[in-house]
Amino acid sequence: MRSQADERAVGAMDPIYLHNERLADVAFARILAAITSGELAVGDKILDGELAAKWGTSKTPIREAVQRLARLGIVQIRSSRSPQVRRVPGKEVSDTIEYATHYAAMTLRMVLPQMSATRRSDLADSFTAIAFRLDRDGDVSAAQLAALRLTFLLSPNSIARIFATNIDIVSAHALAGVTMGGHDQSSVAEMLTALATAVTDNDSAASERLVRQHFSPAA
């Protein structure tokens, strides 16, 4: 007899229609989206047989996607058990905050001087938009995570973007619902406003400092 978690896992995603993408890549993206959105919660099983039937394919690409998610620490695979969405332990959350903060700060420091005035203006507007959304919904954790993730893929360097993509995926899972640095809504809004100003002014040193000061565990 299926558990409620099993039912939710099976019914979490609508059918997919493939064009030129690798099926394993599409499966990875769809399963990840379901986890990130909360359709698949911590402890929910990922049932490759039922997904294969649902998507009209073999289990192989789904298992490949699950293995990739496991390498990123998002899914847990145990012998003789169905893979499950993994709960991220506290130490790993702290490590993610530390590394994500460093990566975001260094990316801003390195990339900001290379940006055109138009691109800097667009980035500043994006930080301002996060602040406006924070004012509406009061979700401090979501605003902090959105600000970090906004920086990850700024670098045009193709090698950096490979690492940044994985950092983005891991952070979205590990830091969901986490309030970083003990900040309240007012201090997060102030940081976002100051960061938008620093970006507009092409002040890479101030941008780096703001990110490190705000997201540091010692903040």
Side-chain angles (χ1 to χ4, degrees):
M1 183 174 182
R2 275 188 210 146
S3 68
Q4 184 177 3
D6 288 347
E7 293 291 350
R8 185 162 63 247
V10 172
M13 292 160 286
D14 294 330
I16 56 175
Y17 300 95
L18 302 179
H19 300 288
N20 295 322
E21 304 95 337
R22 288 182 66 244
L23 182 54
D25 292 339
V26 176
F28 174 87
R30 292 300 301 271
I31 296 170
L32 177 63
I35 294 170
T36 302
S37 69
E39 291 180 69
L40 286 174
V42 169
D44 280 356
K45 295 179 181 179
I46 301 172
L47 305 174
D48 55 10
E50 297 203 19
L51 288 178
K54 190 182 190 72
W55 293 345
T57 184
S58 71
K59 296 179 182 179
T60 300
I62 297 169
R63 288 175 175 172
E64 182 180 334
V66 168
Q67 289 285 347
R68 183 178 168 193
L69 288 164
R71 288 194 295 271
L72 292 171
I74 296 171
V75 167
Q76 185 175 37
I77 299 176
R78 293 180 178 177
S79 178
S80 303
R81 298 185 184 181
S82 297
Q84 293 179 307
V85 180
R86 177 173 173 265
R87 183 182 300 280
V88 182
K91 176 61 165 61
E92 198 169 312
V93 171
S94 299
D95 287 347
T96 302
I97 294 172
E98 180 181 14
Y99 191 82
T101 297
H102 173 73
Y103 191 88
M106 287 305 300
T107 298
L108 281 170
R109 182 64 180 255
M110 295 172 62
V111 174
L112 200 59
Q114 304 172 26
M115 288 183 169
S116 66
T118 299
R119 192 167 178 222
R120 287 198 306 272
S121 177
D122 289 343
L123 179 59
D125 287 346
S126 295
F127 284 122
T128 300
I130 295 171
F132 284 150
R133 187 163 61 247
L134 172 62
D135 185 58
R136 289 196 307 271
D137 61 25
D139 193 335
V140 170
S141 172
Q144 289 181 309
L145 183 56
L148 277 179
R149 295 182 70 191
L150 185 59
T151 70
F152 291 154
L153 297 175
L154 289 176
S155 176
N157 185 285
S158 60
I159 302 302
R161 290 181 71 86
I162 293 173
F163 290 101
T165 298
N166 285 338
I167 294 168
D168 182 57
I169 291 170
V170 170
S171 297
H173 180 61
L175 304 183
V178 175
T179 299
M180 292 171 264
H183 293 286
D184 58 16
Q185 181 175 343
S186 176
S187 63
V188 175
E190 289 175 4
M191 180 274 294
L192 290 166
T193 300
L195 191 54
T197 299
V199 168
T200 300
D201 293 342
N202 197 18
D203 192 338
S204 58
S207 298
E208 178 188 4
R209 183 174 63 253
L210 283 164
V211 170
R212 291 192 187 281
Q213 289 177 346
H214 182 85
F215 291 102
S216 168

